[in-house]
Amino acid sequence: MSSTDSGYSATDIITYIGVPLAVLGVLPILYNTVATLAALSKIKRMLRYGRLTALTRSDVVNRVIEVELPRYAVTPCDRFTDTELYWRPSRQPSFIPGGSWTTFNWRTRAIGAKTQRVEYADQLRQPQVDVAFDELVAYLLDLGAVPDAHGWKLLRSTGLWTPTGCSLMNSPDGVRNALTIAPLDDSDGHLSLKASWSSDWTTRDVSSLPPYWIRLPPPLVRIPKAVGPTEEASTSKEDSKVEDLEKGKEKEQIDARKESLDSIQKQAEKNPRASIICQISTNGLISAMSQEDGALFSIANLQGLHVEHLRIRSGKSDGVWFASFATAFGTTSQTVLWNYKIPDEILNFARRDTVPCGVLVLLGVVDESQTPTWASNYNSNEEASELFFRRCAEQRVAMQAESQMAPPQREIAVRQRMQMESNQRMQDMRDRMRRDNQHRETRKSEALQSPKWDAKLVAEHNLQWLRQKGERGADAILNVDASLPLRDVVGTLLHRMVLDGQFASSICRVLDLWKAWADNGGMRKSDLEALFETQELFALASLLVALVRDTVTAHEGTLSLDLQECLRMWKTVRLG
């Protein structure tokens, strides 16, 4: 039966069946177009809100959106020049997954781009940024974050297998997380981290000392008494007429040069009385700046100092010594982060017993009763009295024999006796000097072989000796206040080393001498003679070595060691 017989034509079939089928076939394309455009619009709003620059392309047929986002390497803003950006979180952070790094303000540098093919807006991921791990941790610590001991221990032991969400840094109250482990989706084998911060969590400000910096207190400076104004006035009145005529022209020429030098001289006079701020890196001392008491820690209130004599250089140990002592001075039981690692050879040297106690007795630092028995008994007074009695007996016998002689013979015998006694006295004096020299040499040899003391005990006695020397008013290289503990004395000593290159070089030479005899089996007589010439420098050097020995070192399983090992393990991390 044909279509005409059934009452439907071919046109009717196409109209009622073909057209709806065609419309149904186009609907998926229309739906994909609408959905793609809606997702693209949402993605653009997200990018606009996060202030992100991106290239977007869409395929409405296949419902695919391509987003090309730049990848950055970031570093914290400068603490001095970008104060507002450094301490304040970003006003408009990105909420796209992987964009937690936008919580803070950074100095950015584009290092590439990443293209993503997504179907929904929720699939968009912001590329993580590369950041130096130590700079990130130092920045968070500077803001007031608190390290999580359990998280760092877990990270050190498990590495990249550390569970996602494990906290490394917490807010100052310890309740919320500031730095956590993030998924490894975009890490390319790097450690992946996620950051979070609120302006309410910031507990420090620009006046606080940042990590890797130490403050050295100024030493006591004796200021000479100034001449009173009345004395100056009386002196100037007497000679004013003559000086005005003869030196009037000279003053005009000198004043111009004097004004330019006054500011330099005033600053040089202020430096010994101002605190010094030192920045220590993995390569030792970076910079040192003077800061007056009460001034804020800002670039405007800091004066740069010359530190070339304390930089680490090949062939000279001054920089290594100073960096080690500065690290020991800045490391306390509360310190969890430091940059410079004290060399093992210096640590071993500071922990060993290297100074014979008898040497301190010879130097006059320790009384012999305070040391173990090390010297042989020698009584010079007993020998002298015995010799005196023997000479007196000989004289009596000779005089008795002379009394029985005739006068001419007696006169000759008396002259011979007096000549012989004179020769005996000269010989006895030479013998006594020889015995004393032998005794001194024997005592020195026995002192070099006496039991050795560690640096802490040596420093305690030397500190007492320095205090007594200051109380006596004797000329001293460094005035040591009797009320200052060892750590504060070391701080003033390091302060002097920064300002006085010759003093720093001298004390480092003594340290090199000390370490040389410790490494070569013990002190020799030449070393002892050198100590007699530089006793005060050796006393000051012992304080420095004792501080290294007493430094609270990180033991296995402590937060400090875990954190430092993690920083050495991962130099660069991905933050997002």
Side-chain angles (χ1 to χ4, degrees):
M1 185 173 60
S2 65
S3 60
T4 55
D5 295 338
S6 62
Y8 296 100
S9 64
T11 302
D12 295 336
I13 296 173
I14 294 173
T15 301
Y16 295 107
I17 298 177
V19 171
L21 291 175
V23 172
L24 290 174
V26 174
L27 283 178
I29 298 177
L30 296 176
Y31 175 77
N32 288 345
T33 301
V34 173
T36 302
L37 294 176
L40 180 61
S41 177
K42 185 177 181 180
I43 289 174
K44 288 184 177 181
R45 284 199 306 272
M46 294 168 63
L47 295 174
R48 236 181 356 259
Y49 182 82
R51 296 182 180 182
L52 301 176
T53 303
L55 297 177
T56 58
R57 293 179 292 271
S58 60
D59 184 352
V60 296
V61 176
N62 296 318
R63 198 175 175 181
V64 174
I65 302 174
E66 287 189 356
V67 182
E68 184 177 320
L69 285 166
R71 185 185 291 278
Y72 296 101
V74 300
T75 186
C77 296
D78 189 86
R79 198 179 194 267
F80 299 109
T81 59
D82 304 326
T83 305
E84 289 294 328
L85 297 178
Y86 185 89
W87 296 104
R88 176 175 51 81
S90 176
R91 294 180 178 178
Q92 202 167 0
S94 171
F95 292 101
I96 302 174
S100 67
W101 61 273
T102 58
T103 303
F104 305 102
N105 300 295
W106 304 91
R107 289 183 173 181
T108 60
R109 178 171 58 88
I111 57 174
K114 180 181 179 182
T115 301
Q116 303 177 61
R117 298 170 63 90
V118 299
E119 186 176 352
Y120 303 100
D122 297 340
Q123 296 175 336
L124 182 64
R125 296 290 182 271
Q126 188 170 342
Q128 294 180 315
V129 294
D130 293 347
V131 59
F133 200 10
D134 58 342
E135 292 182 359
L136 173 62
V137 174
Y139 181 39
L140 292 176
L141 286 174
D142 201 13
L143 294 178
V146 179
D148 190 314
H150 175 71
W152 288 105
K153 183 177 182 180
L154 193 61
L155 176 62
R156 183 189 178 190
S157 58
T158 59
L160 296 178
W161 285 266
T162 306
T164 301
C166 177
S167 175
L168 300 179
M169 307 285 288
N170 296 325
S171 59
D173 56 12
V175 176
R176 287 158 291 187
N177 298 332
L179 186 66
T180 57
I181 301 295
L184 300 174
D185 300 340
D186 188 34
S187 63
D188 297 332
H190 292 79
L191 180 64
S192 182
L193 302 174
K194 180 181 179 181
S196 177
W197 196 259
S198 172
S199 58
D200 300 335
W201 298 356
T202 305
T203 57
R204 292 161 54 88
D205 53 28
V206 67
S207 62
S208 304
L209 197 65
Y212 305 137
W213 290 70
I214 61 171
R215 178 178 281 109
L216 304 177
L220 297 177
V221 179
R222 297 179 180 176
I223 304 175
K225 184 178 179 181
V227 179
T230 56
E231 298 177 7
E232 293 180 354
S234 60
T235 305
S236 60
K237 286 180 180 179
E238 296 176 358
D239 302 331
S240 59
K241 294 182 180 181
V242 179
E243 292 178 355
D244 289 345
L245 295 175
E246 296 179 355
K247 299 181 179 180
K249 296 182 180 180
E250 296 180 1
K251 286 184 178 181
E252 294 179 358
Q253 299 175 354
I254 295 174
D255 285 344
R257 288 179 292 177
K258 188 176 181 181
E259 290 178 0
S260 62
L261 295 175
D262 280 345
S263 59
I264 301 175
Q265 184 177 0
K266 289 179 180 179
Q267 185 60 42
E269 293 174 354
K270 288 180 180 179
N271 287 337
R273 300 190 296 271
S275 299
I276 293 181
I277 313 298
C278 296
Q279 184 181 9
I280 309 296
S281 73
T282 54
N283 296 321
L285 179 65
I286 293 181
S287 61
M289 292 173 280
S290 63
Q291 179 188 20
E292 295 186 11
D293 294 339
L296 292 177
F297 187 76
S298 63
I299 195 66
N301 299 323
L302 298 176
Q303 181 71 27
L305 299 174
H306 178 76
V307 294
E308 290 300 323
H309 60 287
L310 295 177
R311 295 192 187 276
I312 296 180
R313 291 176 290 179
S314 59
K316 292 199 67 177
S317 60
D318 297 14
V320 177
W321 284 119
F322 182 84
S324 300
F325 298 141
T327 300
F329 178 77
T331 303
T332 64
S333 58
Q334 304 299 322
T335 306
V336 296
L337 184 65
W338 62 89
N339 244 347
Y340 185 78
K341 184 180 183 300
I342 301 177
D344 293 336
E345 57 181 5
I346 293 182
L347 287 175
N348 295 333
F349 160 68
R351 292 167 181 163
R352 282 185 294 170
D353 300 341
T354 55
V355 181
C357 61
V359 171
L360 297 178
V361 175
L362 297 183
L363 293 174
V365 177
V366 181
D367 190 81
E368 191 169 351
S369 61
Q370 298 176 283
T371 64
T373 303
W374 55 271
S376 57
N377 293 327
Y378 175 73
N379 192 343
S380 58
N381 294 329
E382 183 178 352
E383 291 184 2
S385 60
E386 182 182 351
L387 179 62
F388 174 76
F389 290 130
R390 187 169 65 251
R391 296 305 182 200
C392 289
E394 292 175 355
Q395 186 181 34
R396 284 195 301 270
V397 172
M399 293 177 67
Q400 185 177 4
E402 292 170 0
S403 63
Q404 299 176 358
M405 297 180 183
Q409 296 176 344
R410 184 187 304 124
E411 184 178 352
I412 296 173
V414 169
R415 283 199 303 269
Q416 292 177 349
R417 177 176 58 81
M418 294 181 66
Q419 181 66 32
M420 183 181 65
E421 289 178 351
S422 176
N423 293 336
Q424 285 178 343
R425 282 194 295 270
M426 293 297 296
Q427 184 61 37
D428 291 343
M429 184 177 64
R430 286 192 290 267
D431 293 341
R432 184 172 60 254
M433 292 177 62
R434 184 172 62 254
R435 286 194 304 269
D436 291 343
N437 289 332
Q438 291 176 352
H439 172 63
R440 281 193 295 268
E441 292 300 321
T442 302
R443 189 170 173 81
K444 287 181 181 180
S445 300
E446 291 174 342
L448 295 177
Q449 302 300 323
S450 61
K452 294 181 175 62
W453 283 357
D454 60 9
K456 181 179 180 180
L457 188 56
V458 173
E460 291 176 356
H461 290 287
N462 276 327
L463 182 59
Q464 186 65 25
W465 179 80
L466 290 169
R467 288 170 176 169
Q468 292 175 355
K469 185 176 182 180
E471 292 174 356
R472 292 194 302 268
D475 293 337
I477 299 176
L478 184 71
N479 295 322
V480 178
D481 190 354
S483 62
L484 292 180
L486 186 142
R487 177 175 291 273
D488 292 342
V489 175
V490 169
T492 60
L493 182 55
L494 295 175
H495 186 285
R496 173 74 179 275
M497 292 178 69
V498 174
L499 296 180
D500 192 342
Q502 184 176 1
F503 170 75
S505 179
S506 299
I507 203 168
C508 288
R509 281 198 299 269
V510 174
L511 288 165
D512 290 336
L513 175 67
W514 186 358
K515 186 174 179 299
W517 88 57
D519 294 339
N520 295 331
M523 184 186 293
R524 295 170 298 183
K525 288 186 178 181
S526 59
D527 301 325
L528 179 58
E529 296 299 329
L531 286 191
F532 279 117
E533 299 176 359
T534 59
Q535 180 178 355
E536 189 173 357
L537 287 173
F538 171 71
L540 296 173
S542 67
L543 306 183
L544 297 171
V545 178
L547 184 64
V548 175
R549 185 188 182 280
D550 288 344
T551 298
V552 182
T553 55
H555 298 286
E556 191 68 25
T558 62
L559 170 62
S560 300
L561 184 59
D562 292 337
L563 193 149
Q564 296 299 327
E565 286 298 319
C566 290
L567 294 184
R568 280 191 285 269
M569 199 178 304
W570 289 284
K571 298 296 184 182
T572 304
V573 296
R574 291 283 175 87
L575 181 62

